[in-house]
Amino acid sequence: MTKRNILNALELKRIEPGTTKSDGEGLYYKVDKKGYSCFVFKFSWNNKIEECHIGSNITLAEARKEKDRLRELVKNGVNPRIQKQREKAELQYKLDNTFKTIAEDWLKNARTDRAKRTVEADKASLIRDVFPIIGNMPITDVKPIDIIDRVIRP
């Protein structure tokens, strides 16, 4: 049986630069020679040992929780390092594609057969009535009910 939860918060503060300590079940705490510290999850994938960075500004309890989640991914045949890259890319996609961003792109590329006054009125309406309510929502999260309940019938 693998030892787990070997480290404690006080020990983490005492770890010398250039040292790596195990907490068990693939969770490690690394401190490089410059003093930068982070939690790392080591796992076996295709007969190779791989590492997945968990974080540097998190508690030991949070690192253990994330380690458990990553272990479950490995158990289900998913490479945690690749999964974390996907999650990061999906988050960035959502941040880059808010309702406001998409609407502004639509306004810029508005059909040329529309009167300039109509385009300006649409823009003013969006800025005044819609952007403050759902402008920062990722476009993938905007549902018809959001528009009905928040914009049309607030």
Side-chain angles (χ1 to χ4, degrees):
M1 184 171 187
T2 307
K3 289 184 179 182
R4 59 180 291 176
N5 300 343
I6 300 166
L7 300 172
N8 63 51
L10 186 60
E11 285 180 281
L12 295 182
K13 292 178 182 178
R14 294 180 178 160
I15 295 176
E16 297 291 323
T19 306
T20 300
K21 294 282 186 172
S22 173
D23 188 52
E25 296 186 322
L27 180 61
Y28 290 84
Y29 187 72
K30 291 176 137 184
V31 181
D32 71 12
K33 292 181 181 183
K34 294 181 180 178
Y36 171 78
S37 60
C38 66
F39 289 98
V40 175
F41 174 62
K42 290 185 181 182
F43 61 99
S44 177
W45 192 260
N46 292 332
N47 297 320
K48 294 180 184 175
I49 300 297
E50 293 203 28
E51 287 187 4
C52 182
H53 184 268
I54 292 179
S56 54
N57 293 322
I58 61 173
T59 65
L60 180 56
E62 291 168 332
R64 286 174 177 158
K65 187 175 180 179
E66 179 65 2
K67 177 253 318 175
D68 291 341
R69 186 183 79 85
L70 298 176
R71 281 176 56 89
E72 194 64 28
L73 288 174
V74 172
K75 183 178 166 184
N76 292 324
V78 177
N79 185 318
R81 195 172 45 77
I82 293 170
Q83 181 64 25
K84 283 186 73 112
Q85 289 170 350
R86 280 188 192 125
E87 290 167 1
K88 187 176 180 181
E90 286 172 9
L91 176 62
Q92 191 60 51
Y93 178 83
K94 283 186 169 194
L95 294 173
D96 291 344
N97 292 285
T98 62
F99 181 88
K100 182 178 180 181
T101 304
I102 300 300
E104 287 173 340
D105 286 348
W106 176 76
L107 286 168
K108 283 180 199 168
N109 300 314
R111 296 188 328 253
T112 55
D113 63 335
R114 294 178 68 215
K116 183 176 180 181
R117 189 173 181 176
T118 304
V119 173
E120 290 302 318
D122 289 346
K123 183 177 181 179
S125 178
L126 284 168
I127 291 169
R128 181 186 64 244
D129 302 327
V130 181
F131 291 168
I133 299 167
I134 63 171
N136 291 326
M137 286 179 69
I139 193 70
T140 55
D141 294 350
V142 177
K143 306 289 183 242
I145 195 73
D146 294 319
I147 297 167
I148 293 167
D149 283 354
R150 296 179 177 184
V151 179
I152 297 172
R153 290 186 240 143

